[in-house]
Structures are given as C-alpha cells and as structure tokens.
Amino acid sequence: MSKPEKLIVDGKRLDGRGPFDMRPIKFTAGVLKRADGSCYLEFGGNKVMAAVYGPREVHPRHMQNASRAIVRYRYNMASFSVEERKRPGPDRRSIEISKVSREALEGVVMEELYPRSAIDVFVEILQADAGSRVAGINAASVALADAGIPMKCLVSAVAVGKIDGEVVLDLNKDEDNYGSADLPIAMNQFGEITLCQMDGHLTEEEFGRALDMAVDGCKKIHELQKQALIEKYGQDITPDVAQPIEGGETNE
Amino acid sequence: MSKPEKLIVDGKRLDGRGPFDMRPIKFTAGVLKRADGSCYLEFGGNKVMAAVYGPREVHPRHMQNASRAIVRYRYNMASFSVEERKRPGPDRRSIEISKVSREALEGVVMEELYPRSAIDVFVEILQADAGSRVAGINAASVALADAGIPMKCLVSAVAVGKIDGEVVLDLNKDEDNYGSADLPIAMNQFGEITLCQMDGHLTEEEFGRALDMAVDGCKKIHELQKQALIEKYGQDITPDVAQPIEGGETNE
Amino acid sequence: MSKPEKLIVDGKRLDGRGPFDMRPIKFTAGVLKRADGSCYLEFGGNKVMAAVYGPREVHPRHMQNASRAIVRYRYNMASFSVEERKRPGPDRRSIEISKVSREALEGVVMEELYPRSAIDVFVEILQADAGSRVAGINAASVALADAGIPMKCLVSAVAVGKIDGEVVLDLNKDEDNYGSADLPIAMNQFGEITLCQMDGHLTEEEFGRALDMAVDGCKKIHELQKQALIEKYGQDITPDVAQPIEGGETNE
Amino acid sequence: MSEDVIAEIKRDYIFSLAAQGDRADGRKFDEYRPISVEVGVIDKAEGSSRVKIGNTQVIVGVKMQPGEPFPDTPDTGVIITNLELVPLASPTFESGPPREDAIELARVTDRGVRESGAIDLSKLCIESGQKVWMVFIDVHVLDHDGNLMDAASLGAIAALKNTKVPNTKFGLGEDVPLPLNDVPVAVTAINVGNAILLDPSLDEGNVAPCRLTVITNKEGALAGMQKSGVGTLTPDQIKYIVHIASEKANVLREKLEGIQ
Amino acid sequence: MSEDVIAEIKRDYIFSLAAQGDRADGRKFDEYRPISVEVGVIDKAEGSSRVKIGNTQVIVGVKMQPGEPFPDTPDTGVIITNLELVPLASPTFESGPPREDAIELARVTDRGVRESGAIDLSKLCIESGQKVWMVFIDVHVLDHDGNLMDAASLGAIAALKNTKVPNTKFGLGEDVPLPLNDVPVAVTAINVGNAILLDPSLDEGNVAPCRLTVITNKEGALAGMQKSGVGTLTPDQIKYIVHIASEKANVLREKLEGIQ
Amino acid sequence: MSEDVIAEIKRDYIFSLAAQGDRADGRKFDEYRPISVEVGVIDKAEGSSRVKIGNTQVIVGVKMQPGEPFPDTPDTGVIITNLELVPLASPTFESGPPREDAIELARVTDRGVRESGAIDLSKLCIESGQKVWMVFIDVHVLDHDGNLMDAASLGAIAALKNTKVPNTKFGLGEDVPLPLNDVPVAVTAINVGNAILLDPSLDEGNVAPCRLTVITNKEGALAGMQKSGVGTLTPDQIKYIVHIASEKANVLREKLEGIQ
C-alpha cells in the first residue's frame, strides 16, 4: 500500500476499526507434540507459534544459576514471514526483542523453584504484521502456562500507536508504516508494566492516554488467554491473583 | 570443455575407457610423519590426502561417549583444488559429505574398544575431479588401517553414473558435468552398502544395474587398498573377513 | 596528502623533525576507574588507551595454566580511528599485532606468581597515526605497572623507517605511506629485543643503523614511561634493574 | 532409569514387534501415518504449505525475487533451499547456525526438486545473463515427530504448486503460476531386523541403524536417493526399498492433486 | 564474603538510604553526577565527542561516506549506529561479537537520533536513488561506571553537532555542518523501593529491578523510551518518570549548547 | 611421564647438545634439512608447488582471476595470501577459522612476496580502475615437522615462478608467465643457549624461546623480518642472524633455479 491520504476517516480506521478496537485475535493452546507447552496465535495478520521446554538441564554448566532457573527467550522470524525474504538467523532487531521479551516474562515465572535449570521459550513468527513482538509475548505466556510452569500470573501485551494525530490501539502494518508513534506495552495481572518501549513522537499528555489505552487492551487480551487455556483444560488454570493492583505508589 | 555431441563413441568413452573401466588409481599408505596413519591417493584427476589421528582424548569433554570412541570426519577442499578458487573453510556441501562419509566408515571401526576417545579422520582434496567424496572414503579407509585402528574390514567406494543413456562406472569430470545421473556407493567387505546417494535420473531397472556395477567396482578398489597396505607393511594387514556376504535377507 | 617530491628537505623532515627526533609523546597513568591499571598515551597523532585487568580467574577453565598466569592482549582499533571507517571487530592485521605485542610484553611479567589466572591487556586505538602498535605496547607497559602487576622491568617500543633513502626514527603517517621501510622494535630494560618486525627494503648496513637508532629511541621512551608513573605515584615504581645489559653473547 | 536403558528397551520393543510383523502404532510396514497438506497458509509468501505426517509438522514458504543468474547458466532461474531445525520443534534441536542434520535435509530436499526438473527453470529468465527469478524454498520445522525428510520434501513441492510468480510486485506483468514439470516425492524407509518399514516414527527412526530416502518422479524413475545413518543395507534391501518407494510415492502424490 | 552476600549488602544499603531520601554519593534523587562534554577529540572523524558522567566515559566518532540509499527512501541519508562494549571498559565486558546489552544500547541510541528527526536526512541526498550520505555513529565505551545509556545518547548528539559533512574529501564542494533539526536527550531512571532516582550509579543500576530511559526532544515531547531489566513499573511510576525526564533533559541539553 | 616432564627433558637435551656444537639430527648450526621443490603438482591451479624441508611438507596453489583494483591503486594487481593449518598436518592444529599462528604465517609470507616486489604488479592491470588480476596464493600445510615459515615462503615463490597468467580462460589473449622481479627467500633462526640454529626442527622450535625469520631479496637486502615467540634476542644476535640469513638465502635460492 502506498501512503494513503488519511488513516482515519469518519472516526473509522481503514480496516473499519474504531480507535479502541483490536484486530481479530485467536489463541490455541497445546498445539505441538514435542514441546512441553505451546500456543498458536493469530493476531491480526501475525501468525505466531510459541513453545516452552523446561525446566530442563542447562548446558554449558557455567550458565547455571545455583539459586534459580534461568529463563531464555528466542524470538525468531521465519524467512518467509515478511514481504522481502529475511535471511535466516538472529539479527540485531531480534536479539533486542528477545531480550526485552524475556524481561517482560521472567518476573512472573517462579524461577526459585527450579535452581540450576533452564526454562526455554521459543517464539517463531511465521507471518509478521505490525505488533509481532507483543503477539510473541502473548503466545509465550500461554505456552508457559500450558507447560505447567508455575507462574504468579499471565503477562499480556499490546501496542498503542498514533495515526493522523490520534492515539489508537493495536496498529496494523499500514498504520505502523505511516503512523507517527509506536508504544508496545506488556503488563502482568497486578497491573504492573513488564515491557515498555516507544519510538516516534508523543507529547506527555498523549503518552499518558496511550499508556491507559494499553492497560485496557492488555486486560482484554488477558481474558482471551484465559479462555484459550480453559478451552484446552476445561477449567481456569491461570493463577489466582487475589486483587489486581492498579498502579503502585511513587514518590511523586 | 563445452558439451560434446556424444560422450560414448563406438562403445568407448571420450577418455578411451569402456563402460566398466575405472580411471587410473594409485594408493600410497603412510606418507605423513605427524599423522598416526595416512594415505595419498590419486584417483583419475583427484589428488587426495587422508590422515588419521587417534584414538585420542576428546575436547570438550561433554562430547565424549562413555561406552565407545567417537569418529569424526572432515572432508575439506583446498582453495586451489577446483577450477574457480574456493573460499577456505567448510561449506554446506562439504558438511554433508563429511557426515555421510563418516557414516560410511563408522560402522567398520571397532569403537567400543576406546570409550571416551576420538578417532579423527581428515581428508584434504588437493585436486578435485569427479568422485572426490568416494576417493576420500577410499583413502580414509587405508589411513585408518595404517593408523592401526582396529576395524572389522576396509570400506571401498566408487561412483556410477549415466551418460548418453548408458550406465557406466566412475564418471570423470566432463562425464559428470554432462551426464544425467550420479550414484556414489561405499561398501564394506561383507558386501553391505555403507554409503548410498544418488541424484539425476535413473529408472528402477537402470538403478539395479548401476548398483551391481558399483559393487563390482568396490571389490576392485578393495584389492588396490589391500595391495597398498601390503606394499607398506610387507604383509596383508587388512582384517580377515571370513566370508563376504553378497546381500542379506529382506522381507521381500 | 599526495606524494610529496621530497620527504627530507635540508636535513629536516616535513614536520620539522631531524632524523633522530620522535614526535611529541605524552603518557598519563591511571585514567580509568574500572580497570585495575590504565594509561592514556598520545604519541604523535596516535591516541591510545590501555587497560589492564588481573590477575583474575580464567574462563573457560581448560585455558588455565597450572604453573603460571596467562597473558592476553587485545589490540583493537575504534571504527573512527582511521581515515576510512573500519568495521568493528578483529581483522587479520589486529590479530597478528595482538600476538606479537603480547609476546613483546609477556616475558617481563612475573607470570609464575599467579598460576591459573589471567592478566588481560586491552589496547584501544582511538586515533591511529603511523606506529600505533608500538604506541600500544608503550601504553600497555605503563598500564601493567599501574595495575601493580609484578614485572622484571618496563618494555619500551618505537619504529624506525627509511625515507628518501635515509634511516630515520619514528615515522609519521605521511612518511609511512611514502617511505620504503618500517621496523617496529620493542626492548626491555636489559637491552633485549622483545618485538622485531620489518617490511620494506633495507640493506644489512642500513638495518644495523636502524636497529641502533631504535635502541636509543626505546631508552628515551622508557624515561617518559618512568616519569608518567612518578607523576601518578609520587615515586619511581618501575622495577630496579641492576645493570641494563647492552646485548648478549652470540656464537658469531 | 537412565536414558540408555530406556533407549535399549524401546529398541527391543520395536525390533520384536517388527519380527512379529507389527509396529507400535499398529501401522502396516508400508503404511504412512495420516498426512495432511494445506496450502496458502502464509500470505506474505509467493507460495506456502503446511504438511503434517502424524504429529510431524512443517511449514514451507516460497519467496521469489529477481537476482543475477550464475555465469554458466545465464537463462536459468535459481533455486535456493534452506531448512531450519528451530529449537521450538524438538528438545534436541539447538539455536545457532544449521548443523549437519539440517544441512543434509535441506540439500536432499533441494536435490529432489532440482534433479527431477520439478521447476521449469528455463521459464524463469527475466533478462538473459542479467536477471532471473531466484526461488527461495524455506522449510520451517515446527514439530519433529519423525520422518522429517518426507515431510520437508512433500511440503516443498506443495508450496511450489501453490506459488505464483510475483510479476506484479516487480513491474513485470501479471502474476502467473510457477511453471512446474514434475512432482517428485520422497519416501523414507528403515530396516529393523529383517523388516523394511516406511515413514518411521520418531522412536523407530531413533532405533533404526540407518534410513534410506528414495525420491521418484511422476513416471516412477529415481530423481534422488540418500542413505543417512551409520548402519548398512544390502544391495537387495536397497533395491527392494527403491521398488516400494516408487509405488508408495503415487499414493503420496494423490495428496498433492488439485492443489494450486 | 561471597559475591552474592556483598551484592545483598549493597542492595540493602542503597534501598535503606533511598527510603531516607538519600543516595550513597550524597546526590539528590533527580541529580546527575558531574557531566563533561568535549568535542573534536578525534581528528580522523567527521565529528567526535568525549562525554563523562561521573566516571563513566564514552567516546563517540561520526564518520560519513557516500553510499547507496535504501530502495524505498531514494532521497534520504542513512544512519548506522554501533556501540562497542570493549572489554577495556569493565571487568564484566567480554571480547567477541556484540551481545544483547551492547545491541540494546546501540539501538536505543539510534532510535533516539532517528525518531526525533535530529538529523535532517533529506539534506543528505547526493544523487537521487544512487548516492546518499551514510552517517556512521560509533560509540566506544571506555569506562563503565553506570548509566551508559545517557552517556551514549549525549555523546552521539554532541558528536553529531560537531560533524562536518566531508564534501571536500569526496569532491562534492565545501565542507558544511551536518544539518540538524533537534537535540534529543536521554534521561534514565530507576526505582528503588518507592524512590525514583535519575542517573543511576553503577551500584544503583546493579541493584535496581529495572531502568527506564526516556528520550525527549527540544519541545519536551517523547521521541523514545525503553524499559530494560526484569523488574516492573506501575503506569503511574512511568508517567512520573516521563514527566521529570522531560524537565531534566533541558538541564542536560545546556551542556550541548554552543558546541559545534 | 607427564608431557611437561618430557618437554623438560627434550629442552635439556637440545640445549646441552647445542652447547657442545651439536644438534639432535647431526646437522650443523646453519644447515638445513634436505629440501625438495616440485612444481606443477596441481593442474587446476595457475601455478603450484610442493615443498618439503625434512618431513615438513606444504603445497602451494596460485589461482588468478580478474577483479576490481583498490581505489588508490587503480593500475595494480592484487595479492591475497592465505595459509591453512589444516588439522591433518599436526595433532595440535584444530578445525575452525584460522588462528593467530596461521594468520601470522600467512601475513609474513605475504609481506615477503609483496615488499620484495617479487611480482611485477604493474603488469597485472587489465583495464585501469576497472579490472586487474587478483593473485591468490594459498598455502596448504600437509605435515608440520618444524619451520613452516621457510617452507611456506619457499613454496609461495616456487608456485609463483610456476604460474601462467590464464589469459585464455578469460578471453584476454595467450597465457604468459607471471611477471616476476625478484625471488625473496625466508630463513628462520632460533637461539638455543648461545647458539644460533637455522631451520629449527619441530622439537628445536618448540623449546626455543623465540624465532627470527629474515626475508632477503636477490641482492641480499632485507625485505621482511618477524620475531615470533615470547623470548628475547639481543641486538647483536639479531644482526648476526640477518647476516647469515642473507648468505643462506642464496643456497636456498638455488633450489628455485630453472623452475618455471
């Protein structure tokens, strides 16, 4: 698509969504035989497979941690997942995404239960639309639960962006290409932010609104994640989070 | 050479050979000082040096096998061995050839005698004509014997191909370039196939004939290997294989 | 600069120096917080930072030496240190320089005091003029002393070259580009040569004079190194070398 | 129980079943697990497929872009086949550059497509000596439950049948189907004792001394073959496998009919 | 004492100080260590800077050379940002290819420059579709005593302000200053207990559960943001950090005034 | 006996022999082991040689192909020298990218050829600024029994003397001999106690504190020099080695006479 004149017409985005609408999302838990846990996610045009192995032995041994499990995360794009064929193997972008995605999930995993072991999270982007990193985190979170890894709660993620000067939820590829800001956010069920990146241009006020919008989006995604697990297990296996907290205290 | 009109004229191939003839072959065992065993082989235009080290300690230790020796095989082409200079170092082709060549030899080595150790086979292609992989296996087999590695028997290898619609033994480079099938085969003295690859186009009937022709070729090469070892040691040091078996039973 | 007609005019080099003059040299010891020892050196247009860490543990363990410390040396050019941007990371030139520089210093370090440990010397060339390898060795030597590593003595280094048919001390970049020989030399305080490389064209007689000139240059540099350490420590901390020896016996 | 002991028990079980004419999952010796072939699963690719053989699952994407021909074949398109054993697909796969197993699978898949003349490469010239179509066949293994070779090969040919030459994207006219000549099919066998089993499951593949893959074309002629593994096969065993592989290939080829 | 115990003691010390409104080096929560910015320190570079924040020290060199534009932006210069955590700068850095920390620092520095539109890339076209200026920003870390992110970002922008387009060298006319539009500044905060501290020292950074870097432009709008580390931040904490980062950026920006 | 003890015994033996004016293989201090030089051993190369010094054995192949000149030397051919310490040649060599020893050997060999002006590179221009001959000198070590440096250097120059510029292959006329100006020769010495020994055997090289290689041209002038190893040499020792190296080079150069 070449740059359209407007990305929002009569309050509707070009794919017909309102500012607060997310693209169609479909989680399926437990789709792989070999992995200990897995999840296939279609999130708009993103097609994402996540698998979890572990807790398992760490090689080489000097990477072991004597007091807790280490979490490893590999975000990988299939060569055919994008418009122009991508060379196989990690590049700088995927290394950064793997790092922040791991950090987004690591805090909810009860690592102290499995000293000296590794929990491996593998995310394959089979088709990439905008938002593949948040899609990956969402699928990985369900795959961790499917693998029976003890967790404090699930992590949910979504991106907010700005198009035609308006803050909107969950950019698609065209909106991302021609939009002016991108804010991927991940959140745990306590309302705490576990991933926060941003590039583009946002005023402080716009940022505040965008962040609130992301928090709402994450809550909706959490419901879908929970449903996917219920579908597979016939019951709610997500951790029981007594009272989600809506932001903590600061020294403001 | 640009493509000739015919590759077989009056029943003779362009280098004067008949369909069942192999190119000149010369094995020399024990040609290197440092290696535990070695063999230099000229096989048509192929010039191949094979060396064996071991049994020796394995580094890193996690690659050791507690119950047997591991066999490693490196097929490597010198930069100047081919028409257009080859970049040094392994490429995908040489990695595949190293794998199947190792598998072709591993079964005849008595690995169980040397737990936790490695037997390293290094094959340098100094000049490549067609059939360098089978030349490498032939030389490696003699180098293993020269190194005194206990073996059940030698392994012998040759390629069969198809040119001008005829199945012929041991293609040279021009025949390989303009031929229509290539079938490298390795065989142990029990008549069992240890390497079998094929590409090109062969009917089932042609394949059957080609395989029989390869079996005959391997037997001839085995004689030359044995002679090379006798030349060096003054006696036949090849293992005493009671009764070579001509094919096993199947559930046909 | 394009090639000038002459590099020596009326006995003076184009930058005004005589044949025996070195460029301005300034050592500053102890300039980094994190390193155990460090030295910043401006040597003509060279800007060099050297740091020393150790003795410290060696990973992986199989690189340890049970009877002495290992010395490691990394010569690295910043991308922006040369006229045309250099790709980050080691190339063949820097690997060779790291090797010979390590060998130039290793002999004066009392390695036997620290078995199983490593002494790491890191040299960053922030700006390169001719002679960056000798500048690196000079700075590294001071950084080793600054780190308190026990040494038999300091090592000093300088290059001699030939321009317009004359042997001169310490080539600058233009002289190096258009000169006809380059002889980098490092020497310990016993008058023994620890680094000696040469390329270009020198008669045996010219070489003899060049080597003598380098020996004199090293002595001058040694004084500057000693001063830099006195400046930092308020006293002479360089090892007490009883009687520097002016060349050993040979079987001439 | 140690892994070695478990492996030993599995081996004995599989061999003694085979001696009785049986397999652990009840299949006949020459019977494949259920096979499914979907195409068009990746919109971003010029062609794509998802193939399942039992629980083994691969996705293949075909991308095409103009590039320079090889100097000695100035009028001929170029095939580049790659296969990734991503660590998601098996506890034994590792991150990092492809290892010999992945390279072997990719190269055998590639030879099957190439040597059978499956793609009519002469129709993929854009400008002689300057520009031809590069056909990238990328096989992405998602779940490794045995017999990757046949899944990769079947996936590749299904994705190629699904491929449109993206002329529009590069201003070269209308998109057209990739010109195909043949439909090569790989059939993999193992020998377990004196039994020859097709489509080895993961456990069967692990205990078998070696595998033989036979790639045949529409007419039943051989286009490729690869023995993989340390074990041996007699000439008669090989001839037998070639024979049944060429028959069985016709059954697999039916799965590809109607696909486009 | 084991390293773990020392780490524990440091953590307790820093947290309890913060609870009392204090920091180990006596700074206020929103106070930076002394900052120095020098430019023109590398003659061989088109622009360069040496930035110190406390003992943290980086050198940034900018090199420019003509190169090919990306196909989709034929009239636009290209920015390539690289950062090297050379082992000279810290006992914990290692030789070898850049690891995820170095890549993250480089990419966040790059996005700060890029997304704020700091460089007027439209003026870096030499010949449309054929040749544009490539701007290489190389950050070389010399001493890592905490808060590399802000030092790298400040160093990059200082070096860019110091950069002359080397037209002479490539026969393209007179050298001119690199055309700049904005001066983005990164401010990094950590939360320690309930305290938000700016410019974390090495020890503070090590014990903090995570960092948040906020990059703002001249007008106080956000151009980039990056949370780094396993810990969490509440939305309110993030909003508070955004607010003070944008204020503090003005103070840092003064250090860059007059530089050219 | 441990390896260390064996090494100690060898060291003592070699040093005490040298103190008596002797060597383990009975050679004089300035005597080389038997040298053989063959050329034309690899038909696929434009030039090739096999050099043996004692049991040390190298094969050198020279390949030539047209390529782009460096921008600053548009009329000058390009030399690329590579040396592979393949693991076949010694129990201590390993597979993988070349390590510092291989790189040093290649670079010293390269400098010897280059700095002596052995090849007349000005005659290797095909089209100014566009196309020149690239001369690839590949040294393949087959058996490492000491003094690889001299074998590599001798092999390189022998292969160059054997080289024909492959004009025919690239449609550039008749093949002609590679234009050579000089015949640089490397001579390597060690000091053992107070003895200077040429052509160190493997054991001698291992126990010597360092080596000095001196490369001289036909006129006896120096074209290159490299000290390798941790030990030291006095200036007088170096001058002495330079002197005898230049004399001994004439003897080695005779081995190259008549070669083409």
Side-chain angles (χ1 to χ4, degrees), chain A residues 103-109 137-138 141 151-158 185-196 211 214-223 225 239 241 243-248, chain E residues 210 227 230-235 237-238:
Chain A
E103 293 172 347
L105 286 167
E106 200 169 339
V108 303
V109 172
I137 291 169
N138 286 326
S141 185
M151 296 160 82
K152 295 180 207 138
C153 61
L154 293 178
V155 169
S156 310
V158 76
I185 293 287
M187 190 175 86
N188 64 23
Q189 280 174 258
F190 304 96
E192 296 164 336
I193 305 301
T194 69
L195 174 135
C196 174
L211 187 55
V215 166
D216 283 343
C218 288
K219 286 181 190 162
K220 285 178 198 155
I221 284 167
H222 174 252
E223 280 310 307
Q225 292 173 305
V241 174
Q243 193 56 29
I245 300 152
E246 296 283 328
Chain E
C210 66
K227 171 182 164 295
V230 171
T232 62
L233 292 165
T234 64
Q237 286 172 327
I238 292 177

Side-chain angles (χ1 to χ4, degrees), chain F residues 113-194:
Chain F
V113 170
R114 189 185 300 274
E115 299 290 337
S116 66
I119 303 175
D120 189 343
L121 293 174
S122 68
K123 295 198 180 132
L124 296 183
C125 181
I126 300 170
E127 190 190 339
S128 176
Q130 299 296 314
K131 226 195 265 183
V132 298
W133 285 107
M134 325 275 286
V135 183
F136 291 92
I137 304 171
D138 281 292
V139 183
H140 215 79
V141 177
L142 291 185
D143 213 356
H144 171 28
D145 200 34
N147 198 13
L148 284 180
M149 190 65 252
D150 295 358
S153 184
L154 200 59
I157 203 74
L160 289 169
K161 288 193 77 173
N162 177 241
T163 297
K164 299 278 172 298
V165 181
N167 286 313
T168 320
K169 193 158 132 191
F170 296 96
L172 296 165
E174 302 262 291
D175 291 2
V176 294
L178 183 70
L180 293 185
N181 285 327
D182 204 325
V183 181
V185 168
V187 169
T188 294
I190 57 170
N191 73 318
V192 166
N194 285 328

Side-chain angles (χ1 to χ4, degrees), chain B residues 172-187:
Chain B
N172 67 26
K173 187 73 192 156
D174 291 327
E175 291 173 337
D176 189 42
N177 285 349
Y178 303 114
S180 55
D182 184 29
L183 174 74
I185 293 287
M187 189 176 86

Side-chain angles (χ1 to χ4, degrees), chain D residues 34-137:
Chain D
I35 295 173
S36 82
V37 178
E38 294 166 80
V39 292
V41 296
I42 303 295
D43 312 334
K44 304 253 168 171
E46 269 68 73
S48 61
S49 69
R50 181 197 306 260
V51 163
K52 294 185 191 174
I53 302 184
N55 283 308
T56 289
Q57 183 178 164
V58 305
I59 290 199
V60 181
V62 173
K63 301 284 286 183
M64 292 182 68
Q65 59 192 50
E68 262 185 63
F70 289 112
D72 48 345
T73 52
D75 301 317
T76 305
V78 172
I79 306 174
I80 296 113
T81 306
N82 197 61
L83 180 144
E84 291 229 52
L85 294 177
V86 292
L88 164 135
S90 164
T92 63
F93 296 168
E94 286 175 27
S95 301
R99 289 136 69 90
E100 56 177 33
D101 288 333
I103 288 170
E104 185 184 33
L105 285 164
R107 285 178 56 85
V108 175
T109 302
D110 183 87
R111 287 200 291 264
V113 169
R114 189 184 300 274
E115 300 290 337
S116 66
I119 304 175
D120 189 343
L121 293 174
S122 68
K123 297 202 179 129
L124 295 183
C125 180
I126 301 170
E127 190 189 338
S128 176
Q130 300 296 313
K131 226 194 265 183
V132 298
W133 284 108
M134 324 275 286
V135 183
F136 292 92
I137 304 172

Side-chain angles (χ1 to χ4, degrees), chain F residues 6-25 29 190-193 195 197 201-208:
Chain F
I6 295 174
E8 198 55 47
I9 292 174
K10 276 192 186 165
R11 176 184 312 271
D12 291 348
Y13 178 60
I14 288 167
F15 273 74
S16 64
L17 273 181
Q20 303 159 27
D22 219 346
R23 298 172 80 166
D25 51 13
F29 283 1
I190 57 170
N191 73 318
V192 166
L197 314 185
S201 70
L202 184 68
D203 281 342
E204 288 171 345
N206 284 344
V207 305

Side-chain angles (χ1 to χ4, degrees), chain A residues 31-35 37-40 47-51 53 76 78 80 122-126, chain D residues 38 41-42 49-52 55-60 83-91 93 139-145 148 151:
Chain A
V31 294
L32 298 179
K33 169 90 181 310
R34 301 299 303 283
S38 60
C39 175
Y40 178 66
K47 298 185 178 186
V48 174
M49 182 72 84
Y53 286 90
N76 185 50
F80 46 72
F122 300 117
V123 170
E124 297 294 324
I125 308 299
L126 301 172
Chain D
E38 294 166 80
V41 296
I42 303 295
S49 69
R50 181 197 306 260
V51 163
K52 294 185 191 174
N55 283 308
T56 289
Q57 183 178 164
V58 305
I59 290 199
V60 181
L83 180 144
E84 291 229 52
L85 294 177
V86 292
L88 164 135
S90 164
F93 296 168
V139 182
H140 214 79
V141 176
L142 292 185
D143 214 355
H144 171 27
D145 201 33
L148 283 180

